[in-house]
Amino acid sequence: MKFLLFFSFFFLTICISGQRKREAEDSVRIMLRQKFFYEEKGKFGLKDSLDKKLTHAIFDNIDFFDENLFIVEKDSRFGVINHLGKTIVPAQYKSLKTGKSNFANQNQIDKEEIENYLKDFIFSYTNEDLYEEQYGIYSKDGKLLYPPIIHRFSEVKKYKNIVYFIVVEYPITEGFVGEYNGSTLKVSQRRLVKFQNNQFSNQPIQVDYDDLGFLPIENKNILFYRESLKGGFYNMETAQKTERKYKGYEVLNNKIYAAKEKFYNYILDENFKETISKDSISKIVNGYLYLNEGGNFRLMKDDVKSKFSYPLIEPVSHYFDYGHYSKNEKYENYLTELFKFYPDKGKYGLIDFNGEIFVEPKYRDINIYPLRQYVGESYNEKLENEYKKNHLEYLIIPGGLFAPERVCFNEFKIINSLGEEIVYLDEKNYKTYVTNDNFGTYSKKGITKDFFYSSSNRQSGFFVYDIKSGKIILASDNGNFSLRKNGGFVLRAYDENINVHTVTYYSNRLNKLYEEKTPIKEYYEIERSVIKSKEIYFFKNNKVGLIDFEEKEVLPAKYDNIKIVNFHYYNYYHRSEDDLVTSFIVTKNGKTGLLNEKYKKIIPLEYDEIKYLSNPYFEAYLVKKDNKYGLVSKNNVLLAPIIYNSEIYFDEERKQFDLKNENRVVFMLDYSKQDKNIWYNVYDDKKYYMFKDGIISKIEQ
């Protein structure tokens, strides 16, 4: 019990220090290894805190795995033992994991809930290859719950507080030793498994099916099983089962529409009783039935048929569920009810269920994209209200996306969510500017109420289209162009002949604000600071000030020099854009100080030099006065007195502030304090400081 409590305490210590300060983890781990592992003739064994040997030294390696559990390696195979040396998982697997989050599909249950059900198991892998993955499941007390024949949890569903998995199984790997309920499971391609009371059990459906799948029907637990080209339905609660006579199915309003041949004309109720529809139902998408009427198609919803029919009607690709897309209630339903159609000439348009034509049928293809999906990484969340106000939350792209092999396209258009054409590249502009690099699959695009741009992810060109004038107003075959997250635009261009980066910043009106040519070794410093700020430099009468990307002056041009500093503090090693804090080092009449993000003076202009010292903890500055150096925080707290002859710098490897060329530490983290937020001055009577959310303050003693 002493061993158990001691190990539990230090395991928790590792977890906490791993979250808060990674630099403490290695020392704690080394201490634990010395405390509980021993080595003899190059092999390792387990001992307790009193040095009593719990296993022979037979393992090639031992390491920590989970609370009270250790992972052991033997002949390049892995297993698990517990804190008493008992074998939990035999050392015969290629890999072991404590959780499983990779599911082929999940149905009616969220990912976090799935992971929660499986968090107390050990997953033992005989093959880790993504396409040939194979594993078994052990409990943490050493019971084999599922032999290593699982290739994938295909689907999962929770029904009446019981979790059901559809498991894709592979044959047992050669060399596996172990039993499962006294015998080996029959291997099948798909298997229905019930998970209850931390146990897996097979269900009565016990034949080798090519496919199994849950039906998305509320308050029913129904499967579709398939063998060869036909399948049937199975009620897991009543064990009622249909013949295997259907080629496929669709579900609408909890009704099953099944197809024996071409059409989904067989409607099944909850007892699988068939009713034959008089209409030929070719497909069901987004709640609409597509009816085949000889040579034409017609739509039907809630037993109401559209008044029109055409040779072809198709659903529009909307991509509404992309990422964390915020749906717009005003346009969402209407745009969802738009359909691609063409009368007889093979050209697509858009029409709604009432027969109103939204886009005339004159395009080779047409799709609707939420802006977030279409422009990808160039999407600016801070402009969401502007996008919606200007009807840009959806972009309708006639002609489809650009692909170099589709040479039939010779123009490009974008229509907004009101049906207004906002971008049009005619044949000449299309051939001039639309290339695979600056417009293809791996390019980046952006749009505002005034401009649309498309740019290479590399340095091979871009163009900017003015929506109001309908003209290309900026273009190049060099560099890349993008929206900034805090307003405006940035152009990056690299001249390899002279090894120089040119960074140009534009306002939201696309007026050039600032340009800087930077040697390659200094370029990334510019990217870390200026690129993310809300303002940029402007010059007047040989003085410098700050202007924002709406071209509003936010700081008068009265300084000799300004340096923008963007500090990112770490919140338990999770970095977020919201953690960004901007400050400004300003120089006037030979003296330097610091302004905060509101342009208020926080360090007075009394120093000969101030230099930002990048570190992941708090905003720290080297200050120089009368040829002496000290350390000051952003909130003007003196962390190290201004008495040193050498510059102070942050040692990234040792995570402390040292003196250059003297091998002396002046300010460091106090590792003896449990919360690890305490720092102290080494040579100034050990004055103590605490930091939180990037701000450090003196602790009064």
Side-chain angles (χ1 to χ4, degrees), residues 79-94:
V80 175
I81 62 176
N82 67 10
H83 64 286
L84 299 176
K86 177 185 174 183
T87 296
I88 300 299
V89 178
Q92 60 188 33
Y93 296 98
K94 288 186 177 180

Side-chain angles (χ1 to χ4, degrees), residues 429-446:
N429 281 330
Y430 189 90
K431 290 181 177 179
T432 302
Y433 299 108
V434 175
T435 67
N436 190 40
D437 277 349
N438 71 6
F439 203 76
T441 304
Y442 299 106
S443 66
K444 56 186 175 184
K445 299 173 177 63

Side-chain angles (χ1 to χ4, degrees), residues 505-549:
Y505 299 93
Y506 296 87
S507 72
N508 292 326
R509 302 171 193 170
L510 209 63
N511 292 319
K512 184 188 291 187
L513 298 180
Y514 178 74
E515 182 172 278
E516 183 165 355
K517 295 183 182 297
T518 311
I520 183 64
K521 64 180 181 180
E522 299 175 10
Y523 169 69
Y524 294 105
E525 177 61 31
I526 296 294
E527 288 287 273
R528 282 194 297 267
S529 57
V530 178
I531 195 67
K532 294 181 178 179
S533 63
K534 298 177 182 178
E535 49 278 293
I536 194 63
Y537 313 111
F538 80 98
F539 299 88
K540 185 177 182 180
N541 299 327
N542 295 321
K543 297 292 183 179
V544 60
L546 295 173
I547 190 171
D548 67 15
F549 288 88

